């Protein structure tokens, strides 16, 4: 069967490109995928897709036996991207009705989409899409709602890639209908954010506190607490809000916010949340990974209050019989993508039901109602467990024999060997991350900072934390890249505050801030400050990133290193 490069058989080169069997095209694309460098950050993967197209053009030129074609393909990438996407490249482009476009929704029938009034046949691009086959969700319709949701697409080079696939224009009346349907921005209801946050992505909103103030307060103020959203923040009316509890004998339970506050004892837990991708930028420095380029501050410490999950499940009918088959507790959020798919995750039932697990259905953060970005009106807080399982805007809890089938439980937030790449990865082969490994990082001084020789000493500050309730018992600090070490002073509260009593064994949910002042070594101008933490199971951090590198850049917990210069004068 022949694969038509364009529905009309015409290409941006004109009719020069020969029609080739699907297998040959697929082989070429596989080669180009390899040439394009494999896995990467979302943005980088899009750039790679662009480079692949340049290569493809070059290859097409060679196949067509004309240098002119090759030059055209390469030069086209220099064109003004904004105009490229909307400028017809071929006077013979046809006008299609929406009905015709809608017929092309599969690889067999061809995958067509519309954008800004133009029609694109992206069948060939599906295999190259950095976001995988999610692109098929847009098949037969407009790209705008998806690009509004996944704003990484709103870049010139993505438009440029798209322009390669243009086959025609959308009929004027269909375009008008589309415009009225797609004009709303799904992120328009997102809350205001503090300008101090370091933004990693605006839509969805992902940001971390400025590193230099992260260790200034034991409890991170909500406004600068790191924020990790996969989707738009849902607007929830607390008066009509209902939590559904399913999977238990007796047909389930529905609870209003008021029920949660009045029917169950209020429990308060100080717990650190850390994103699996914290410190991903250090993995990126070794070899590029796919994901947001988090620094060292995708971690924060909060005081959470609410009903215990255990109490709610018992009230919903959890009993000895349930314990025989139940293995997981699944959570669903109210935040949805354009297909209506909600965020979801699950935790082992033992953690949920343990009296010492301290899992909360939290309606308060730092003494106030949960802020919109942190899950208003209700989120689950699973102390000691990776951020991804702490589902916000909680709508449904299901006790089950199975894990959540959510994308974020099954196909993300898992660790792999450094040798695993995007062509070989099998997400089913690895367990979902739950408890996180021991972690520490230096917040002060900042990388590249300088200290005055005349000060004679340097103060180093940072945070340390371990998952699963394991308490950090020691932080070692080195000024010479790890040759010699000193032990830092651990703090369990803000300075000036009476030190908090040690938490019961296995329930150390909150981080420890630490500090150490050391004399400046006399005979060097460069310090390589390093920190490493030890938890009460004597787990320690690995010394370098390369052996723990993984394609998603999760679980990045190597010794943290900061280079600082010693200056002689102001
Ligand atoms: N819950 C919902 N409903 N939607 C989300 O996008 N993100 C998860 C988790 N819970 C997420 C969610 C991830 S990956 C993390 S790290 C934490 O929320 C971040 O919580 P925070 O934004 O309150 O810091």
């Amino acid at each position: 069967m022949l694969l038509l490069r364009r529905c009309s058989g015409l290409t941006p080169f004109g009719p020069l490109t020969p029609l080739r069997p699907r297998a040959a095209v697929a082989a070429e694309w596989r080669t180009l995928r390899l040439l394009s460098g494999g896995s990467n950050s979302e943005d980088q993967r899009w750039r790679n897709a662009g480079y692949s197209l340049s290569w493809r053009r070059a290859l097409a030129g060679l196949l067509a036996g004309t240098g002119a074609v090759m030059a055209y393909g390469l030069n086209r990438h220099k064109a003004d991207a904004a105009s490229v996407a909307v400028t017809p490249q071929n006077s013979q482009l046809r006008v299609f009705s929406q009905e015709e476009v809608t017929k092309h929704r599969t690889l067999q029938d061809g995958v067509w989409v519309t954008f800004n009034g133009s029609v694109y046949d992206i069948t060939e691009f599906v295999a190259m899409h950095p976001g995988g086959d999610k692109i098929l969700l847009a098949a037969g319709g407009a790209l705008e709602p998806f690009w509004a949701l996944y704003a990484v697409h709103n870049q010139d080079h993505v438009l440029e890639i798209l322009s390669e696939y243009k086959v025609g224009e959308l009929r004027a009346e269909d375009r008008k209908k589309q415009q009225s349907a797609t004009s709303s921005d799904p992120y328009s209801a997102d809350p205001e954010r503090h300008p101090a946050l370091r933004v990693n992505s605006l839509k969805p909103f992902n940001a971390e506190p400025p590193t230099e103030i992260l260790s200034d307060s034991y409890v991170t103020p909500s406004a600068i607490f790191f924020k990790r959203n996969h989707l738009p923040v849902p607007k929830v009316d607390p008066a009509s809000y209902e939590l559904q509890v399913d999977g238990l004998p007796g047909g389930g339970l529905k609870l209003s916010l008021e029920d949660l506050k009045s029917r169950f004892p209020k429990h308060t837990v100080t717990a650190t949340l850390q994103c699996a991708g914290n410190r991903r930028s250090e993995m990126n420095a070794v070899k590029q990974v796919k994901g947001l380029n988090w620094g060292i501050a995708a971690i924060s410490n909060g005081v959470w209050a609410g009903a215990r999950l255990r109490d709610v499940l018992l009230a919903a009918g959890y009993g000895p019989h349930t314990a025989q088959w139940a293995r997981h507790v699944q959570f669903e959020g109210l935040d949805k993508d354009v297909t209506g798919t909600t965020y979801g995750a699950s935790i082992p039932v033992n953690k949920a039901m343990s009296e010492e697990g301290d899992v909360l259905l939290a309606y308060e953060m730092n003494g106030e109602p949960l802020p919109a970005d942190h899950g208003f009106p209700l989120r689950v807080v699973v102390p000691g467990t990776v951020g991804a399982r702490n589902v916000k805007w909680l709508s449904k809890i299901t006790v089950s024999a199975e894990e959540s089938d959510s994308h974020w439980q099954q196909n993300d937030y898992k660790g792999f060997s450094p040798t695993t790449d995007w062509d070989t990865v099998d997400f089913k082969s690895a367990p979902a991350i739950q408890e996180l490994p021991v972690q520490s990082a230096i917040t002060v001084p900042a990388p590249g900072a300088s200290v005055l020789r005349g000060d004679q000493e340097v103060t180093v500050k940072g945070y340390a934390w371990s998952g699963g309730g394991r308490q950090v018992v020691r932080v070692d600090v080195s000024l010479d890249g790890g040759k010699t070490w000193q032990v830092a002073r651990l703090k369990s509260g803000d300075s000036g505050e009476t030190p908090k009593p040690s938490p019961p064994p296995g329930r150390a949910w909150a981080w420890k801030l630490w500090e150490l002042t050391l004399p400046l070594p006399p005979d060097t101008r460069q310090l390589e400050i390093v920190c490493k933490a030890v938890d009460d199971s004597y787990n320690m951090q690995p010394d370098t990133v390369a052996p723990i590198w993984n394609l998603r850049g999760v679980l990045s917990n190597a010794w943290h290193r900061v280079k600082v210069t010693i200056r002689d004068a102001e």
Side-chain angles (χ1 to χ4, degrees):
M1 183 185 160
L2 294 181
L3 173 72
L4 300 184
R5 296 194 65 125
R6 297 285 180 270
C7 68
S8 58
L10 292 169
T11 78
F13 317 119
L16 280 172
T17 313
L19 299 177
R20 287 170 301 128
R22 185 187 288 274
V25 175
E28 176 196 319
W29 279 63
R30 270 196 301 277
T31 314
L32 292 167
R33 271 185 95 179
L34 290 176
L35 288 170
S36 75
S39 62
N40 254 320
S41 74
E42 213 66 70
D43 182 36
Q44 191 58 41
R45 283 161 70 80
W46 273 107
R47 285 177 193 284
N48 285 348
Y51 284 126
S52 297
L53 283 160
S54 302
W55 278 96
R56 190 164 64 93
R57 290 279 167 254
L59 205 57
L62 291 172
L63 287 168
T66 154
V69 169
M70 187 169 160
Y72 176 79
L74 294 172
N75 280 331
R76 275 184 35 70
H77 287 271
K78 291 182 189 145
D80 170 19
S83 65
V84 170
V86 290
T87 308
Q89 294 146 18
N90 190 315
S91 55
Q92 297 175 52
L93 285 176
R94 286 171 53 191
V95 173
F96 296 102
S97 68
Q98 180 62 56
E99 201 183 338
E100 279 168 287
V101 174
T102 309
K103 283 182 191 151
H104 295 86
R105 307 196 60 199
T106 63
L107 289 170
Q108 284 73 33
D109 300 334
V111 178
W112 289 17
V113 292
T114 65
F115 183 74
N116 211 7
S118 297
V119 179
Y120 301 89
D121 175 357
I122 57 162
T123 316
E124 290 181 16
F125 184 69
V126 172
M128 288 280 295
H129 181 232
D133 59 9
K134 265 194 172 175
I135 197 171
L136 290 175
L137 294 170
L143 283 176
E144 279 89 343
F146 292 87
W147 285 18
L149 198 61
Y150 306 110
V152 68
H153 296 89
N154 294 322
Q155 304 183 59
D156 288 352
H157 58 278
V158 178
L159 288 174
E160 200 176 341
I161 294 168
L162 182 66
S163 71
E164 304 280 342
Y165 296 95
K166 184 160 174 172
V167 290
E169 300 289 342
L170 190 62
R171 205 168 57 178
E173 63 254 48
D174 290 330
R175 190 177 176 193
K176 255 194 210 137
K177 275 190 214 155
Q178 257 193 7
Q179 277 169 337
S180 54
T182 59
S183 57
S184 70
D185 173 2
Y187 293 92
S188 58
D190 267 23
E192 288 282 308
R193 276 92 183 205
H194 198 285
L197 285 163
R198 301 220 164 123
V199 178
N200 272 325
S201 105
L202 265 177
K203 296 177 181 184
F205 192 75
N206 287 287
E208 55 190 300
T211 306
E212 56 277 25
I213 61 170
L214 183 63
S215 56
D216 280 353
S217 62
Y218 178 68
V219 173
T220 316
S222 306
I224 60 156
F225 200 100
F226 87 96
K227 301 179 202 309
R228 175 52 176 129
N229 299 338
H230 289 87
L231 296 162
V233 173
K235 243 197 158 41
V236 188
D237 172 11
S240 56
Y241 170 81
E242 242 179 11
L243 173 70
Q244 194 178 327
V245 186
D246 274 357
L248 292 166
L253 185 64
K254 285 200 167 152
L255 295 165
S256 69
L257 193 57
E258 202 38 51
D259 291 335
L260 284 156
K261 290 180 180 174
S262 59
R263 285 180 46 188
F264 303 94
K266 182 173 173 183
H267 200 69
T268 301
V269 174
T270 303
T272 297
L273 282 194
Q274 182 182 201
C275 184
N278 189 29
R279 300 182 60 195
R280 180 178 282 136
S281 53
E282 291 160 69
M283 287 209 172
N284 262 329
V286 170
K287 190 166 107 184
Q288 228 160 11
V289 299
K290 182 179 177 230
L292 293 164
N293 198 33
W294 293 109
I296 64 161
I299 184 168
S300 299
N301 192 39
V303 179
W304 312 94
R308 277 181 147 142
L309 174 60
R310 174 191 151 80
D311 294 343
V312 171
L313 293 182
L314 287 172
Y318 191 101
H321 178 71
T322 326
Q324 286 170 19
W325 57 264
R327 294 290 173 269
H328 304 272
V329 178
Q330 306 173 355
F331 306 109
E332 212 177 292
L334 286 163
D335 46 339
K336 295 185 177 79
D337 70 14
V338 274
T339 67
T341 308
T342 52
Y343 184 87
S346 60
I347 59 169
V349 74
N350 292 355
K351 171 73 177 170
M353 289 306 295
S354 161
E355 280 192 71
E356 297 173 349
D358 290 318
V359 182
L360 290 188
L361 300 180
Y363 41 77
E364 276 181 24
M365 174 183 187
N366 298 342
E368 289 177 340
L370 280 179
D373 263 326
H374 297 287
F376 179 82
L378 194 78
R379 83 178 297 171
V380 59
V381 172
V382 192
T385 293
V386 63
R389 315 296 168 221
N390 292 248
V391 175
K392 307 191 268 191
W393 313 291
L394 190 62
S395 65
K396 190 168 158 195
I397 301 175
T398 309
V399 176
S400 173
E402 309 296 336
E403 275 193 319
S404 161
D405 63 5
S406 146
H407 165 82
W408 292 278
Q409 187 80 19
Q410 300 297 333
N411 297 320
D412 203 352
Y413 297 116
K414 293 187 172 186
F416 294 96
S417 155
T419 56
T420 304
D421 62 25
W422 288 100
D423 289 327
T424 57
V425 67
D426 171 13
F427 273 91
K428 285 194 179 55
S429 69
I433 300 169
Q434 294 285 349
E435 293 178 358
L436 284 171
V438 62
Q439 176 69 286
S440 71
I442 299 160
T443 53
V444 176
S450 56
V451 291
L452 275 178
R453 166 73 63 199
D455 288 346
Q456 293 178 13
E457 52 187 29
V458 58
T459 296
V460 187
K461 296 182 189 178
Y463 66 76
W465 181 78
S466 190
R470 291 176 286 274
Q471 178 163 210
V472 166
V473 293
R474 203 181 77 224
V475 172
D476 299 325
V477 176
S478 170
L479 295 186
D480 54 13
K483 292 193 198 92
T484 58
W485 298 93
Q486 303 289 329
V487 177
R489 182 170 64 87
L490 300 180
K491 305 190 282 181
S492 59
D494 286 322
S495 50
E497 224 178 66
T498 339
K500 297 199 169 27
S502 274
R507 290 167 87 182
W509 310 128
W511 65 12
K512 295 226 169 125
L513 300 178
W514 53 265
E515 195 171 317
L516 184 63
T517 300
L518 289 168
L520 289 175
D523 45 5
T524 181
R525 293 187 149 271
Q526 271 280 334
L527 301 178
E528 188 184 355
I529 309 179
V530 186
C531 76
K532 63 182 172 82
V534 183
D535 71 20
D536 60 8
S537 296
Y538 285 97
N539 292 310
M540 297 177 205
Q541 298 173 245
D543 57 349
T544 50
V545 179
I548 57 165
W549 184 96
N550 59 84
L551 74 176
R552 252 324 243 121
V554 291
L555 306 165
S556 180
N557 73 330
W559 297 357
H560 188 221
R561 297 163 190 266
V562 165
K563 287 195 173 143
V564 164
T565 314
I566 303 177
R567 271 189 301 129
D568 288 330
E570 292 279 358

